[in-house]
Each structure stands twice: as structure tokens, then as C-alpha cells.
Amino acid sequence: MIELEGVPELVDPVMVAAFEGWNDAGDAASTAVAHLDREWKGEVFAALDAEDYYDFQVNRPTVFIEDGVRKVTWPTTRLSVVRVGGEKPRDLVLVRGIEPSMRWRSFCNELLGFAHELGVEMVVVLGALLGDTPHTRPVPISGTTSDADLARRMDLEETKYEGPTGIVGILQEACTHAGVPAVSLWAAVPHYVSQPPNPKATLALLNRLEDLIGVRVPLGELPEDARAWQVGVDQLAAEDTEVAEYVQSLEEARDTAELPEASGEAIAREFERYLRRRDGGGPGGHATADGGEGPAGTPFLRDNPSGRSRPSRPPKPSGDDEESSED
């Protein structure tokens, strides 16, 4: 039995999880949960035993000095609680860590034990994958679930994925068997600029999460970071003719595929989110998934941030992608 002393009774709690590693291209998903934890000043109430789930030769502990004393930080998964106020308060249980090296079933069962004790009503797992998507367009976000009823009610896809999976897929499957509603939100990260961070993908995940759970997410400096990221990649891509031509081909393919859907539910959802943020007030406005302000977006104006590494050249066509979307 898991005993949670000092954790207050939560209001309509949702568990939001992300894991560094295979399911976290550009660190977009883990950065999203870290952003929520930082903006809402989450309080850590539990950490899983590192020796139960991690191979320390794969994920090594780190040594640091604090007040002249050497200390060790072990790779693990931590849980924190954030209290979200407003007209319709809803609390979040944030789960952030590294994809475990072993004993995945026990790992998921332990997380579900916390979810049960805290009265969690739904689990949302964030992920990011590499894809053939241009950095100049809105970040594609897909929402999937194994629950057909939940898919209908929340405008999600019922997962059809078959193939290798990561801890995101395993946790979602464990939730399904335990009778806990579970959703996975996936951001597609351009494979030619895959190095972290990717604030644009992080922003898109948070926007979709906001729609899903009905909680207004404070964005802080993330919209400005997303603008700067795109300007930086624009400038770097312009320096290489081959990369620039490749990006243009991705843009044409994306625009052609999306042309029939120019007036679909995505536009309505974006406009509703804009109105919600406008009515709620607060500085900074709302940043769309493409980093612009308001429902239509505005040009990117900030200079290229220093220290940005050069995007790699596009790979020659050779078959399977490095990562593929799963549950």
C-alpha cells in the first residue's frame, strides 16, 4: 500500500507524464512537464527507487558540490503535485523522469498505485518523435487512446500502432488494463533539426494539453523562445542550399496534404483557445503552435540565439524513420 502523507485532497486530478529517452525527440515532452512544474511551483512528494528500474551504466548518476559538500543525484522518476485555481480548479500530478532500463511492468504498476491513491481521473502521457515535417509549419500533434469511447468524446484517434514501443506505450496499455482513461499526445519534431531544445514542439504539446484537460497553462517565456528557435533554424537552413531545398519540398508536401482541411476542427479549436486566453486576460497573449500571437500568428522578429548548432543535412532515402509514432 502506498501511503501519501502530506499530500492534500486533490480536485479532479489528472496525471501528466513524460520520460526522457526514446520517446522524447528534442526533449520536447519532458521539457513540457518541467515547464508545468516550474510555472506552477510543483511540490515533489515521491521518487521511485532508482535501483529498481535503472541501469547506472546506461543512465549514470551525477556528482555535484553544494555548500562545499559533494552529493550524488541518481537517475529516477519523480512525482509532484500542482494546484491549479480559477473558475474550474483542477489539480495535476506531474510525473517526470528517464525511461526505465528494466522492470517496466512494475514501474507502471507503481505509478498506477499513486494514481489510485490520489484519485486520478485520467492519465496523459506526452511524447515526441522524429518526422518528415518542416520547422516552418505548425507542429503536428496527434492524440491517441486505446479507449474507443474516450476517442469519440475527446476527438482523439483510436491507436492502431503495431511495432516496437517505449515506456509511453507500455504505460498507456497498463492504464487500459487497470481501467484508467489514458491519452498519449505526440509532437512531430523535424528530423533534420532534432537536437534539443525544441521550444516550438514543447509549446504545441502544452497548447494541445490545455485543450484536452480544460486548464489554462501559463506559457511564460516559451512563446518568445519558440520564435527565436524558428528564426535561428531559418537562418541556419538558409546557409545550406541542400537543406533549404529539402525544407521547401517538405513544405510543399505538407501544404498539399492539409489543403482540404483548411476549415476543419483545428481552426475552430485554435480560435476557441484564443478567445479563452483573451477573456482570461494576462500578459503576453496566446502563442499558437507555430509560435505566433493570436489565432493567425505574426512574423518572427527576434534574432538568432547564440550557440545554436547547425542542423544536420537531410538523410538520403533509406527506408524506416529513426522513430515512429506509437500509442
Side-chain angles (χ1 to χ4, degrees):
M1 176 66 70
I2 299 173
E3 296 182 2
L4 301 173
E5 297 181 0
V7 178
E9 183 176 352
L10 304 182
V11 178
D12 298 332
V14 174
M15 177 177 281
V16 181
F19 303 95
E20 300 173 21
W22 195 64
N23 297 140
D24 193 25
D27 292 353
S30 58
T31 301
V33 174
H35 176 87
L36 296 175
D37 192 67
R38 181 174 61 255
E39 291 293 322
W40 274 316
K41 298 178 174 57
E43 298 181 4
V44 175
F45 66 88
L48 305 190
D49 191 335
E51 292 203 11
D52 287 343
Y53 304 114
Y54 294 99
D55 180 347
F56 299 141
Q57 290 184 324
V58 176
N59 298 292
R60 293 186 178 273
T62 58
V63 177
F64 67 99
I65 299 177
E66 184 178 58
D67 298 329
V69 178
R70 290 174 63 85
K71 296 184 179 180
V72 176
T73 298
W74 297 92
T76 189
T77 294
R78 294 180 172 83
L79 291 85
S80 59
V81 169
V82 296
R83 314 303 304 271
V84 183
E87 294 182 2
K88 296 181 179 179
R90 162 168 262 182
D91 298 332
L92 304 182
V93 179
L94 303 180
V95 179
R96 182 162 62 105
I98 304 170
E99 183 177 65
S101 307
M102 51 199 172
R103 302 184 64 202
W104 284 15
R105 285 177 291 188
S106 297
F107 180 87
C108 293
N109 287 338
E110 190 164 354
L111 290 181
L112 286 172
F114 283 110
H116 175 73
E117 288 295 312
L118 293 168
V120 166
E121 298 182 348
M122 182 171 65
V123 175
V124 181
V125 193
L126 307 183
L129 53 95
L130 299 180
D132 292 329
T133 181
H135 72 278
T136 53
R137 296 294 185 265
V139 177
I141 300 292
S142 59
T144 64
T145 179
S146 299
D147 187 324
D149 181 62
L150 191 63
R152 287 190 297 271
R153 288 190 291 109
M154 307 193 77
D155 188 27
L156 302 167
E157 299 176 19
E158 190 174 357
T159 180
K160 305 295 184 184
Y161 175 79
E162 295 179 307
T165 189
I167 193 61
V168 172
I170 298 301
L171 179 56
Q172 184 173 15
E173 188 68 13
C175 290
T176 299
H177 285 296
V180 179
V183 174
S184 295
L185 298 181
W186 289 92
V189 173
H191 68 84
Y192 58 89
V193 58
S194 59
Q195 67 271 20
N198 190 319
K200 185 173 179 179
T202 295
L203 179 60
L205 279 171
L206 290 175
N207 282 339
R208 186 67 179 92
L209 177 67
E210 184 180 68
D211 294 334
L212 185 70
I213 65 177
V215 171
R216 180 179 175 184
V217 176
L219 299 178
E221 298 180 357
L222 195 55
E224 187 68 12
D225 292 341
R227 295 187 190 94
W229 178 87
Q230 176 153 334
V231 169
V233 178
D234 283 343
Q235 293 176 351
L236 291 171
E239 296 173 3
D240 190 310
T241 303
E242 186 179 353
V243 172
E245 292 176 351
Y246 181 69
V247 171
Q248 184 178 2
S249 69
L250 292 178
E251 291 173 339
E252 293 172 353
R254 174 79 176 272
D255 293 344
T256 300
E258 293 188 346
L259 186 60
E261 302 177 3
S263 60
E265 292 184 1
I267 293 179
R269 185 189 306 121
E270 182 67 22
F271 188 66
E272 288 173 0
R273 190 190 303 121
Y274 165 70
L275 292 177
R276 189 164 60 241
R277 283 194 171 277
R278 185 195 65 179
D279 295 340
H286 165 64
T288 64
D290 62 354
E293 289 287 343
T298 54
F300 299 89
L301 302 176
R302 185 171 168 181
D303 292 335
N304 176 33
S306 61
R308 184 72 63 191
S309 57
R310 185 182 182 86
S312 58
R313 291 176 179 270
K316 303 297 183 182
S318 60
D320 295 337
D321 293 339
E322 178 179 342
E323 294 188 32
S324 60
S325 173
E326 51 198 62
D327 301 321

